[in-house]
Amino acid sequence: MKKLMLLLVAVTGLTATTMAQQINVSINIGRQPAWGPVGYDHVDYYYLPDIESYYYVPDRVYIYRYGNDWRRSAVLPARYANYDVYHAHKVVINGVNRPYLFHDRYRKEYYGYRNKHDQIAIRDSRDRRYFVNRGHPQHNEWKKDNRGHGGRGSRHDKH
């Protein structure tokens, strides 16, 4: 009886932990850049195969090679002036801390995505859930529609 009780407690605890982990998934559509591809509720990093660089969504910075070092900047360096982030392919990387430290792996794995223009950018989506993104043309409509809904508009609309 005691073993059965322990098993029941363990299973219940495991189920509660699993449910809590599923519920605690962060949604950061409003923090993603308007050039990010649609289809992702949460993104940590984008890998940009055409220029072998990364974009870190939480800090809104590009991470790119400068000699043997990795640099962080809110804008890409001048050498990428002709790079079109809206139409280039972006690879979503989640759950990896500082993926640029494993750059050889990502470069090899996603080399085939270079020069592909096959994703719809958040800015160009007509799906209302992307209106929360401050770079979306319909963002002001979203703000107007979400005023007074438990502070939701202000929480997601930090500039």
Side-chain angles (χ1 to χ4, degrees):
M1 183 70 168
K2 200 172 192 180
K3 286 183 182 180
L4 181 60
M5 189 69 138
L6 277 171
L7 180 62
L8 183 60
V9 169
V11 170
T12 305
L14 181 61
T15 303
T17 301
T18 303
M19 289 176 61
Q21 288 172 344
Q22 291 173 351
I23 293 169
N24 194 22
V25 172
S26 169
I27 295 176
N28 70 350
I29 293 172
R31 300 274 309 160
Q32 294 173 38
W35 50 259
V38 299
Y40 301 92
D41 289 340
H42 178 85
V43 176
D44 293 330
Y45 288 88
Y46 292 107
Y47 172 58
L48 312 170
D50 290 340
I51 59 173
E52 296 186 15
S53 298
Y54 301 81
Y55 183 83
Y56 184 50
V57 173
D59 289 348
R60 294 183 173 155
V61 295
Y62 293 95
I63 302 167
Y64 56 89
R65 269 257 160 87
Y66 187 83
N68 290 329
D69 297 325
W70 289 97
R71 295 264 171 103
R72 297 165 60 95
S73 175
V75 296
L76 283 168
R79 70 179 183 251
Y80 299 129
N82 294 324
Y83 178 68
D84 181 358
V85 292
Y86 283 93
H87 295 103
H89 190 89
K90 281 77 65 176
V91 177
V92 171
I93 300 175
N94 286 328
V96 178
N97 188 24
R98 300 184 293 176
Y100 49 91
L101 297 179
F102 310 99
H103 180 64
D104 287 341
R105 172 185 159 203
Y106 291 108
R107 186 180 66 234
K108 287 175 189 169
E109 189 170 344
Y110 298 112
Y111 184 84
Y113 290 98
R114 294 173 69 108
N115 300 314
K116 287 201 180 240
H117 309 285
D118 58 350
Q119 295 172 317
I120 297 172
I122 288 171
R123 174 196 70 181
D124 301 329
S125 174
R126 301 230 188 272
D127 186 336
R128 294 186 66 79
R129 74 185 185 133
Y130 292 106
F131 294 2
V132 66
N133 186 287
R134 65 186 173 84
H136 195 283
Q138 302 297 324
H139 180 66
N140 285 336
E141 179 182 323
W142 178 87
K143 282 185 359 184
K144 184 179 74 178
D145 291 347
N146 286 281
R147 283 197 179 111
H149 287 92
R152 213 175 126 81
S154 61
R155 182 177 59 125
H156 289 292
D157 188 38
K158 293 184 179 169
H159 292 264

